[in-house]
Amino acid sequence: MRIAKPMTPNLPEGKWALFLDIDGTLLEHAAHPDSVSVSDELRQLMQTMERRLDGAVAFVTGRSVSAVDRLFHPLKMRVAGLYGLDHRLTPDGPVEAADEPADIAALADEIEAELGKGVYIERKGPVLAVHTRAAPHLLARATRLVEMALDRLPEGYRVIAGNAGVELMPLEAAKGAAIRRFMEIPPFIGRRPVFLGDDTSDENGFETVNGEDGISIRIKPRGPTAARHVIADVTDAIAWLQANFGDPAKQAGRDAAE
């Protein structure tokens, strides 16, 4: 891990593939994941970027594909959901979904009973997320409960503590693996990857992109990161995407206004 450098305004010329986390990267975090909303301007930017990159744009997120579709409706994008356990490799293609195992469902019930309504338990198939943004004093206890559960769960799970919550997920749930899967198929193949993320779960993706001579960018980092560049906040991340992959005419208008 290292301290990343601020991102320069413009990428060099080249064929790029764009991978985007959602929460904390394109949208500000909220106490409840369903409390966020997508503006028409962001939807339009996504469509423009997909067109300019010949379709080489994908969400790589902890949300499920179905949750992403609800959020960005009516827009449909390529998505690696649940850290790569859910996939839709083409906008109109089938969704490869992951079911919730019985032991993870039981654990979710236990943690909810233990911590009460101060936290939000998000059930995402084999991924269990405990959100404590509305009750930060419960983060340590939530993390401890999830860590203790590893001893009685089948092998193959790991715990990732985030900025405002903790997640339990299978070892194969990794954003880096999801990015590699996209990079092996059209229209991504042969391009240099760019990945924007904001949290601990994105570090694996940064490492993968670095290994592919790509551009790794962390939003609002809190200390060292595998990302080679940083952007201050969500607003600046959107502006950077607009400047590099958005509508050139609109950007020229913004520059003239300034």
Side-chain angles (χ1 to χ4, degrees):
M1 297 291 180
R2 53 196 281 281
I3 301 297
K5 298 178 181 179
M7 190 62 218
T8 52
N10 295 310
L11 288 177
E13 290 294 327
K15 294 183 69 176
W16 299 100
L18 182 60
F19 300 98
L20 298 167
D21 175 48
I22 295 175
D23 298 280
T25 299
L26 299 179
L27 301 173
E28 296 288 358
H29 282 290
H32 193 292
D34 292 340
S35 298
V36 299
S37 62
V38 173
S39 67
D40 290 339
E41 185 176 45
L42 179 55
R43 286 190 185 88
Q44 185 175 23
L45 174 60
M46 294 303 306
Q47 290 177 303
T48 299
M49 293 191 299
E50 186 180 43
R51 183 179 68 253
R52 291 194 63 191
L53 292 173
D54 300 317
V57 180
F59 291 124
V60 184
T61 174
R63 290 179 181 262
S64 66
V65 174
S66 60
V68 173
D69 283 349
R70 289 193 298 272
L71 190 59
F72 282 85
H73 179 79
L75 185 64
K76 278 196 172 183
M77 303 286 294
R78 293 167 175 84
V79 184
L82 303 185
Y83 308 96
L85 298 179
D86 266 6
H87 270 92
R88 183 172 61 224
L89 300 177
T90 62
D92 297 322
V95 176
E96 303 172 20
D99 296 325
E100 181 183 52
D103 47 13
I104 298 300
L107 176 60
D109 291 338
E110 291 175 18
I111 294 177
E112 191 166 31
E114 172 82 16
L115 299 182
K117 296 182 178 180
V119 301
Y120 169 58
I121 309 295
E122 188 177 9
R123 301 168 185 249
K124 303 187 285 187
V127 177
L128 175 63
V130 184
H131 298 274
T132 60
R133 192 169 298 275
H137 62 285
L138 293 176
L139 176 58
R141 179 58 178 159
T143 302
R144 179 63 179 153
L145 289 172
V146 174
E147 290 175 341
M148 289 172 59
L150 285 176
D151 293 334
R152 56 189 173 86
L153 289 172
E155 292 186 3
Y157 283 91
R158 61 177 172 153
V159 175
I160 295 185
N163 295 333
V166 59
E167 294 190 270
L168 176 73
M169 64 183 70
L171 292 174
E172 63 266 27
K175 290 192 174 184
I179 290 171
R180 283 194 295 271
R181 184 174 183 184
F182 276 116
M183 291 296 294
E184 292 172 353
I185 62 173
F188 300 91
I189 192 167
R191 293 172 175 263
R192 288 180 65 190
V194 179
F195 176 45
L196 277 69
D198 79 304
D199 210 341
T200 309
S201 60
D202 297 305
E203 292 294 331
N204 174 263
F206 299 145
E207 292 167 358
T208 295
V209 167
N210 293 344
E212 296 291 332
D213 191 31
I215 303 293
S216 54
I217 307 171
R218 183 155 175 174
I219 315 303
K220 293 187 292 188
R222 300 183 180 184
T225 174
R228 290 176 175 165
H229 302 278
V230 300
I231 289 180
D233 53 32
V234 170
T235 299
D236 284 353
I238 298 295
W240 186 85
L241 289 169
Q242 176 65 56
N244 286 279
F245 304 113
D247 187 333
K250 285 189 176 182
Q251 186 60 37
R254 289 188 179 93
D255 294 341
E258 293 175 358

